[in-house]
Amino acid sequence: MKGGLVLDIDEFLSDCMSALSETEPRTAVKQLLERTVSDPEGVARALPPERAELVPLHASDEMTVLKVIWAPGMVIPPHNHLMWAAIGLYGGQEDNTFYRRSGAQVQESGGKELRTGEVALLGDDVIHSVANPLSVFTGAIHVYGGNLTARTDRSEWDMETLEEMPADFARTQRYFEEMNAAQSRSSTGT
Ligand SMILES: [Fe+2]
């Protein structure tokens, strides 16, 4: 980032690719994200957190980078990624609840609250649900060590029954769009 004013997305993505070729790619990506979200305003100018969004900025076999904007109060059910992930927050708060498998279901096994400027590294086998506990949008950059958008063997677990089912990136994206529709209905009082 130059001048600390607006994050240069192309430069950030090429820095991510360089980080992947280092000896410890996860650590290198985490450190890059930490440097990036240490100027949260600069990231927000480039990736405005104004509506719920799950947008790939990059997706290849090596890496996926997502702009993730959580609507106020939004919750997504437990899911796995089957690849490591680094999550950097540049606005709001992202509450992670972790789970472990228990037969066809999952059981809660802890949590982590991520706040603006913080970065979390998640291992390949993590199962988590995510909630935005605030009444403002939460902005995050998620980096994954593989192609999250194309992987078809991932799972999610029903929020109520905690039963396992196939995860689907496109369905999750539609859920983000539904949040926007719900938000505009409630703001117009219809
Ligand atoms: Fe996730």
Side-chain angles (χ1 to χ4, degrees):
M1 204 183 316
K2 292 188 181 72
L5 295 173
V6 184
L7 173 69
D8 182 326
I9 303 294
D10 289 338
E11 189 178 311
F12 172 73
L13 293 174
S14 96
D15 288 348
C16 278
M17 289 307 283
S18 311
L20 285 187
S21 58
E22 295 202 15
T23 328
E24 297 287 346
R26 301 169 193 216
T27 310
V29 167
K30 181 172 187 266
Q31 287 169 348
L32 170 64
L33 264 182
E34 280 168 348
R35 286 197 299 278
T36 304
V37 298
S38 70
D39 177 20
E41 292 84 7
V43 183
R45 281 182 207 108
L47 302 170
E50 293 166 348
R51 56 196 300 282
E53 280 183 286
L54 185 64
V55 178
L57 304 173
H58 173 94
S60 63
D61 287 349
E62 292 75 33
M63 180 180 77
T64 304
V65 181
L66 302 178
K67 174 191 182 185
V68 185
I69 309 297
W70 306 99
M74 190 172 170
V75 179
I76 62 159
H79 59 274
N80 59 16
H81 309 125
L82 305 178
M83 60 188 76
W84 62 262
I87 296 171
L89 267 275
Y90 63 91
Q93 181 174 329
E94 185 180 291
D95 286 358
N96 283 263
T97 303
F98 298 110
Y99 299 81
R100 59 170 166 260
R101 280 181 181 277
S102 173
Q105 298 180 321
V106 284
Q107 246 175 19
E108 272 190 48
S109 65
K112 185 174 179 60
E113 295 176 359
L114 264 183
R115 295 189 172 79
T116 302
E118 295 181 338
V119 175
L121 201 52
L122 309 181
D124 303 45
D125 56 353
V126 157
I127 299 170
H128 72 156
S129 63
V130 183
N132 174 5
L134 305 181
S135 55
V136 295
F137 287 98
T138 285
I141 299 176
H142 292 196
V143 182
Y144 300 85
N147 193 341
L148 190 82
T149 65
R151 215 152 157 160
T152 55
D153 54 347
R154 296 171 46 236
S155 292
E156 68 177 48
W157 285 263
D158 184 273
M159 205 72 205
E160 303 297 325
T161 65
L162 297 179
E163 297 283 348
E164 186 171 4
M165 65 186 105
D168 179 339
F169 188 80
R171 189 177 66 227
T172 306
Q173 281 186 306
R174 285 196 296 276
Y175 177 59
F176 277 71
E177 286 307 322
E178 285 162 17
M179 288 295 109
N180 293 315
Q183 192 109 24
S184 69
R185 276 197 302 277
S186 68
S187 66
T188 56
T190 53

